[in-house]
Amino acid sequence: MKRFSGTTKAEATSGIRIGIAVLVFALGGIAACATNPVTGTPQLSLMSEQQELEAGTKLYPLYTQLSYGLFQDEALQDYVNSIGQRLAAVSHRPNLPYAFNVVNSSDLNAYALPGGKISITRGMVARMENEAQLAGVLGHEIGHVAALHHLATYTRQVFSGLLSAVGMAALQTAAVPAGGLIRQVGLLGVNLTLAKYSRDQEREADKLGMDYMARAGYNPAGFVQAMALLMDEMDRQPSLLESYFSSHPLTSERVADANQRLSLYGPELRTPEALREASFREATAYLRQVQPAYALMDQGKTAMKNGDSRQALQLFQEATVRAPREALIWVYRAAAEGEAGLEEQALQSAERAVSLYPDLFHGRYVAGVLAFESEDYTRSLTHLKAAERLIPGQPQVTFYQGRNFEAMGRREDAARAYYAVLKKVRKGPMAQYCYRRLVQWGYLRG
Ligand SMILES: [Zn+2]
């Protein structure tokens, strides 16, 4: 599936240019000169460091939610963060408030937000075999941050920070009743294209990442291994790598260059010990234990896409039996049960997801919809309010808040919600529903 199907490359590029123009405008036309920390030369900069930090602080929790939340293993999160911090400390921008996390997407991806906020997916960590491979991917992202690549390349969505495009995408296909809930959950984890780096930027980030690895005591061969893993997966499961490759073009030329660079580093680093396999295996033990359950979940999503909802439900159920502590799998199970008309069971599964991970948008949203379907309006509103806090401004959340108000006889609150939905969405069953009600109640003329 192509995210921007129908968009030509030229259109995409002009979209980025417009994005930057919008940003310059938003900043009052300030385009200051900053010194590039890597090259030491002056560079046109569209945002001050302060603005960069603010953008990162604001966007990090949102993008974490959009990537299906955190992988719920605190020890692993600490481990990944400590490796990232070690590399960041020896980078060209050691003083940023870096943060590193593992998000729960099955895709193979890693991305850097402004200000040194960096995420790697569960899918990518699961594919790795040692700490040096992980350090290689994190070091590469730090390289982009250190060399200020993002200042020119972040897409409009990142800068606007509004994420309204995400809500729109979800709503185009969302049906009014619980049907389509699975598709909505999937779409809410949209793979936003964060940046499109050039080949030269990729080459520079590769070099920087490997240097940082060496300074932190890692065998830089780990990075070459990570690239080889990605190339290998691209042949086997290209769809899982789409967002990574769209921002980090990977070519055999890059792999060859990185391979050649290895001889520049001292022999004391180029040892199997400096790949640090044992510590990595220990830290990822739980992830590797639940990964087969996530594979079942992903098969269930595919079955759902192919219209086989019965098989999908079976796969989700089996996945929750294998990994009963994984909230995201319970969310999919709940959505599938809801679509199968098993209302009571569905709500129980959704509540299970919420109790395992109260701050996961997808769990709160699905629980909110299912509680509404079960006519438990107070409970539904509690979940939807939490969902609104986790990813603000999603029109489908506002829509279900309105449906609850309407069912509770709070017509004015309902009208306000439906009006807010119509301000964001003009087409599709949800917009039609809101429009009809507002006309019916005399808030709009038909
Ligand atoms: Zn890159």
Side-chain angles (χ1 to χ4, degrees), residues 123-324:
M124 184 157 326
V125 177
R127 189 67 185 78
M128 291 174 164
E129 293 143 350
N130 61 52
E131 197 171 307
Q133 293 173 2
L134 177 59
V137 170
L138 297 180
H140 175 92
E141 297 299 326
I142 295 169
H144 282 307
V145 174
L148 305 182
H149 294 161
H150 54 296
L151 293 184
T153 48
Y154 275 132
T155 61
R156 184 178 172 180
Q157 286 154 320
V158 179
F159 281 132
S160 73
L162 297 171
L163 300 165
S164 53
V166 180
M168 302 297 246
L171 274 167
Q172 305 271 320
T173 50
V176 172
L181 205 47
I182 293 255
R183 227 167 352 159
Q184 292 183 47
V185 173
L187 279 161
L188 288 166
V190 160
N191 297 317
L192 292 173
T193 304
L194 292 165
K196 289 196 185 294
Y197 300 113
S198 71
R199 273 183 198 197
D200 285 345
Q201 290 175 328
E202 283 307 292
R203 203 169 297 132
E204 189 173 33
D206 288 348
K207 172 192 172 305
L208 292 170
M210 290 174 83
D211 287 353
Y212 301 158
M213 286 176 83
R215 286 184 209 169
Y218 288 107
N219 183 343
F223 180 61
V224 181
Q225 291 178 1
M227 283 172 128
L229 284 179
L230 292 171
M231 295 287 264
D232 196 40
E233 285 295 319
M234 184 167 63
D235 291 335
R236 295 185 349 160
Q237 314 193 67
S239 64
L240 293 182
L241 276 148
E242 202 181 300
S243 31
Y244 186 75
F245 285 125
S246 69
S247 54
H248 305 276
L250 181 54
T251 57
S252 43
E253 186 200 346
R254 254 182 79 198
V255 183
D257 282 357
N259 222 336
Q260 227 168 14
R261 267 194 80 75
L262 288 178
S263 60
L264 302 175
Y265 301 100
E268 73 285 357
L269 282 174
R270 288 183 281 146
T271 64
E273 292 73 39
L275 290 171
R276 301 195 202 167
E277 195 180 326
S279 55
F280 181 84
R281 291 198 74 78
E282 195 190 315
T284 55
Y286 176 70
L287 188 151
R288 282 180 289 113
Q289 182 198 317
V290 295
Q291 187 61 16
Y294 277 105
L296 289 174
M297 182 191 88
D298 293 335
Q299 285 171 31
K301 284 157 73 173
T302 306
M304 199 51 116
K305 232 178 256 166
N306 298 334
D308 195 345
S309 52
R310 186 184 296 188
Q311 208 213 341
L313 179 54
Q314 261 172 18
L315 287 161
F316 293 142
Q317 283 171 337
E318 198 184 326
T320 53
V321 171
R322 285 219 203 168

Side-chain angles (χ1 to χ4, degrees), residues 320-349:
T320 53
V321 171
R322 285 219 203 168
R325 280 164 48 199
E326 295 305 299
L328 184 62
I329 304 179
W330 282 104
V331 173
Y332 277 101
R333 176 173 166 170
E337 286 167 342
E339 290 194 15
L342 307 166
E343 273 185 24
E344 207 171 311
Q345 220 174 303
L347 184 56
Q348 270 174 24
S349 295

